[in-house]
Amino acid sequence: MSGKSVVRIGCGAGFWGDTPEGARQLVAYGDIDYLILDYLAEVTMSILAKMKARDPAAGYATDFVTQVIAAHGRALAERRIKVVVNAGGVNPLACRQAVEHELARQGVALKVAAVQGDDVLPQTAGWRQQGVREMYSGAELPQTLVSANAYLGAFPIAAALDDGADIVITGRCVDSALALGPLIHEFGWTRSQADLLSAGSLAGHVLECGPQCTGGFATDWQATQAGWADIGFPVAICHADGSFVVTKPPGTGGAVTCESVAEQITYETGDPRCYRLPDVCCDWSQVRVSAAGADQVLVSGARGGPAPRSYKVSATYADGYRCLATVLVRGRDAVDKAHAVARAILGRSTAVLARQGMAPFSETSVEVLGAEDGYGPHARTAHTREVVLKVAARHDVAAALEVFAREIFPTSTSTVQGVAGVFGGRPKVQPVVRLFSFLVPQETVQVSLVVGDEVRPLGPPLRGDAAAACKPDDTPAGVMNSGAPHEAGVDATESQADMRAVPLAALAHARSGDKGDISNIAVLARRPEFVELIRRQLTARHVRDYMAHLVEGDVQRHDWPGLDGFNYLLHRALGGGGVASLRYDPQGKAHAEILLDCPVRIPAQWIEQGWVPKEEVLG
């Protein structure tokens, strides 16, 4: 515990491949105590595992060494900025060694620690024998895995900082732990202070995607677009009572607003009353956001309960191959032309496979970009003269997809006039990697801290009953919990002559993301007066019907009263999700935009009062 009353944490990267400008900006003039960088995603782990299999010294996010330590190592030391990063991937020790080598080259003396133990691939055989099941589908654990990593928590990070580390490198941990660890260290928070642990986790959750909370990826993008070239990366000014203010470095672009922060709070969550993390079960249902100044938003109201007894493990496994091609098509009837070209490609490829004695494709996908195929029956652009055809296929055998890849270019001479370009040359055949998530007792995962030549085991804590903390909906995952359905989503009392139809966007802003093959769409009312109408009309059943062209499972709805909104979980809505999907939006990033066009009926009085612009009225 440092005795500080305020700790400033900045996030300089939201994924592996993010711009190096984030770290530069925060180190140069972010006025921060800690720099955190979040590099990992489920698919990233499988990529890093394959890299390590080829080279035992690989398997970590090299950008951290080349773009952060090499560029800012001396500045970090001079400004006493500590760093917490999950760049270790599947090889935290190799990452630590590379960082120490670079610091030595610069003549900078910083203490580097590594947290290891998240890689549980060697233990999966035993868990398979015990009958472990996928936590969403109930499927059996595959025989061969590419990677398996437990989501660790924040206390190992805090232990490293307690030991005097200036740079802490982890493998897989929950993203929010990168911020919670420093707060535990600085404020002396204990495992029993669940409300504080939940609040610190929320701070990390808001920061973890970089500028998504400072005006990037926002519903109301027009207000922030002028500053995107130098968009500010986020800073959380954290207090010992758990409250924090979200801001950004002075003079940078973007905007920190209540709307941008609220959207990020809801991002890729679920039931806001029960967001389970390794260190705490979070209740964010009553979290509030309020303006605290120019580009400053105060966040408060997080609550928590005892942590779960389990770690979530994300495993990945190979499941055949995929190939995806894009073709530009122009001219009259461009949409019909594109679909005809797709039929020709798939028909010829299938015939070749049959002659060669191979099975047909296990899955195919056709999307005409520019024709609003993603909107399904709600599309409005049917007669455009310029589209991009995306055609994709999946097969267990790579050679079968090489047949498919060879049939893309011949469309320029064997199909229709107007085929004007194939992007990137002949498409490449890629392995399909699927996600398999399951739970394991925390005591079965051996976590250790490596500092210098010392390896210090960190035993799991004794846990209370997590069930007392979380109040999840009683409805099983994947089952609609919307109550009695309303015809077309409209309450009978709202089917009157004084009602007007407007798009949902007139009443709400939204954010969407993914959890495996589940699309998460949060809908937040622009005014408190709009909440009840949205509740009555935008039922889970109505969302399921409106998004039926994308959703194969059911839809759940969770209330989010603190943010005047609702969180919808659309099951089996991403075509498998991640690189397992053949869709152009495998993570549902645009699903919120699609739903915001859903018509709702409002009292005409709202237009007269100026609550809803008259330009929004449909028809």
Side-chain angles (χ1 to χ4, degrees):
M1 182 173 178
S2 68
K4 289 183 180 178
S5 60
V6 176
V7 175
R8 298 174 62 97
I9 303 175
C11 180
F15 60 94
W16 187 19
D18 206 346
T19 173
E21 286 298 293
R24 181 199 64 80
Q25 186 187 92
L26 291 168
V27 172
Y29 46 90
D31 188 24
I32 57 174
D33 302 302
Y34 286 86
L35 173 67
I36 65 174
L37 303 108
D38 178 17
Y39 287 116
L40 300 183
E42 288 84 357
V43 173
T44 310
M45 298 300 290
S46 65
I47 295 171
L48 292 172
K50 291 180 179 179
M51 292 171 59
K52 186 180 179 183
R54 293 192 296 265
D55 178 2
Y60 62 89
T62 54
D63 287 4
F64 176 58
V65 181
T66 60
Q67 297 181 359
V68 179
I69 299 302
H72 309 296
R74 190 172 300 280
L76 290 169
E78 292 172 351
R79 297 173 190 183
R80 297 184 179 180
I81 298 172
K82 295 197 173 189
V83 182
V84 181
V85 61
N86 58 12
V90 299
N91 204 347
L93 296 185
C95 183
R96 172 176 169 263
Q97 185 178 30
V99 168
E100 289 178 330
H101 182 270
E102 175 57 35
L103 291 173
R105 187 189 68 80
Q106 297 179 39
V108 175
L110 292 175
K111 187 174 183 179
V112 186
V115 176
Q116 64 177 1
D118 64 290
D119 185 355
V120 294
L121 188 61
Q123 296 168 250
T124 54
W127 289 326
R128 187 182 294 107
Q129 291 179 349
Q130 296 171 19
V132 68
R133 296 280 179 165
E134 213 279 335
M135 60 189 297
Y136 300 112
S137 68
E140 295 182 354
L141 187 65
Q143 288 297 315
T144 303
L145 298 175
V146 176
S147 64
N149 296 82
Y151 283 85
L152 303 183
F155 280 93
I157 295 171
L161 295 170
D162 291 345
D163 197 65
D166 300 297
I167 299 173
V168 182
I169 298 168
T170 77
R172 199 55 167 130
C173 65
V174 290
D175 302 338
S176 56
L178 300 178
L180 178 59
L183 297 177
I184 292 171
H185 163 69
E186 294 286 355
F187 295 143
W189 293 348
T190 66
R191 295 184 186 274
S192 64
Q193 293 176 296
D195 287 351
L196 295 177
L197 297 179
S198 176
S201 298
L202 181 56
H205 179 73
V206 171
L207 292 175
E208 68 188 45
C209 293
Q212 278 194 181
C213 67
T214 61
F217 205 54
T219 300
D220 299 332
W221 61 274
Q222 297 92 337
T224 65
Q225 62 174 320
W228 286 348
D230 186 33
I231 192 167
F233 275 66
V235 175
I237 305 171
C238 304
H239 300 268
D241 66 358
S243 65
F244 59 95
V245 172
V246 183
T247 187
K248 62 186 182 68
T252 57
V256 182
T257 67
C258 290
E259 291 77 13
S260 69
V261 174
E263 288 181 14
Q264 181 58 29
I265 289 173
T266 66
Y267 186 59
E268 296 181 347
T269 50
D271 184 349
R273 298 169 299 169
C274 187
Y275 186 64
R276 291 182 174 91
L277 296 171
D279 302 311
V280 62
C281 186
C282 302
D283 180 352
W284 294 341
S285 62
Q286 299 298 330
V287 165
R288 301 282 181 177
V289 294
S290 58
D295 286 316
Q296 292 193 335
V297 171
L298 173 66
V299 182
S300 60
R303 296 291 181 265
R309 297 174 180 271
S310 302
Y311 283 128
K312 176 183 176 181
V313 175
S314 285
T316 59
Y317 64 98
D319 187 26
Y321 301 86
R322 68 170 188 167
C323 187
L324 183 151
T326 52
V327 181
L328 176 63
V329 182
R330 285 183 172 138
R332 291 171 296 168
D333 303 318
V335 176
D336 291 339
K337 287 180 178 180
H339 281 289
V341 170
R343 288 193 296 271
I345 293 170
L346 294 173
R348 184 181 296 176
S349 301
T350 300
V352 172
L353 295 185
R355 285 198 299 272
Q356 295 183 0
M358 287 191 279
F361 299 118
S362 57
E363 182 184 357
T364 61
S365 173
V366 175
E367 292 177 273
V368 179
L369 312 178
E372 299 190 355
D373 274 9
Y375 286 80
H378 317 297
R380 300 173 186 167
T381 308
H383 303 294
T384 181
R385 296 172 296 178
E386 182 177 82
V387 298
V388 173
L389 165 65
K390 183 229 75 182
V391 57
R394 188 198 319 278
H395 202 282
D396 290 339
V397 179
L401 291 174
E402 292 293 353
V403 172
F404 168 83
R406 287 195 298 269
E407 293 301 333
I408 304 301
F409 270 102
T411 59
S412 61
T413 57
S414 63
T415 57
V416 68
Q417 185 176 147
V419 172
V422 178
F423 301 125
R426 179 183 290 182
K428 295 181 179 179
V429 176
Q430 300 173 318
V432 170
V433 178
R434 291 191 182 273
L435 178 65
F436 188 100
S437 300
F438 59 99
L439 301 176
V440 299
Q442 289 195 1
E443 60 270 18
T444 64
V445 177
Q446 303 302 313
V447 183
S448 60
L449 181 64
V450 182
V451 182
D453 296 329
E454 180 187 2
V455 179
R456 187 198 315 164
L458 300 175
L462 295 175
R463 298 296 189 188
D465 183 4
C470 293
K471 303 182 181 70
D473 194 286
D474 292 334
T475 306
V479 178
M480 292 186 287
N481 60 349
S482 57
H486 302 292
E487 183 179 355
V490 180
D491 189 272
T493 61
E494 293 162 359
S495 302
Q496 303 172 8
D498 62 348
M499 305 295 286
R500 301 288 185 272
V502 299
L504 177 63
L507 306 185
H509 55 112
R511 171 67 63 83
S512 58
D514 68 309
K515 286 290 184 184
D517 198 18
I518 301 173
S519 178
N520 181 172
I521 308 177
V523 176
L524 307 176
R526 295 186 182 276
R527 299 179 64 96
E529 294 87 350
F530 297 162
V531 173
E532 285 308 311
L533 185 144
I534 295 172
R535 183 194 307 278
R536 290 193 299 270
Q537 296 192 28
L538 205 68
T539 64
R541 185 177 300 276
H542 189 49
V543 171
R544 174 64 177 83
D545 291 344
Y546 190 80
M547 305 287 283
H549 60 289
L550 297 172
V551 182
E552 297 178 14
D554 293 316
V555 173
Q556 288 174 280
R557 184 179 76 180
H558 298 289
D559 287 8
W560 206 311
L563 298 178
D564 291 331
F566 305 91
N567 209 21
Y568 297 85
L569 299 182
L570 287 62
H571 292 259
R572 291 191 289 130
L574 300 172
V579 297
S581 177
L582 298 182
R583 296 185 188 175
Y584 231 69
D585 184 12
Q587 295 175 301
K589 302 298 186 184
H591 283 189
E593 289 294 316
I594 295 172
L595 186 58
L596 283 172
D597 268 334
C598 178
V600 293
R601 295 180 61 80
I602 66 169
Q605 182 183 2
W606 288 3
I607 301 169
E608 297 165 5
Q609 291 173 319
W611 289 0
V612 176
K614 61 182 179 181
E615 294 81 9
E616 293 281 12
V617 177
L618 300 173

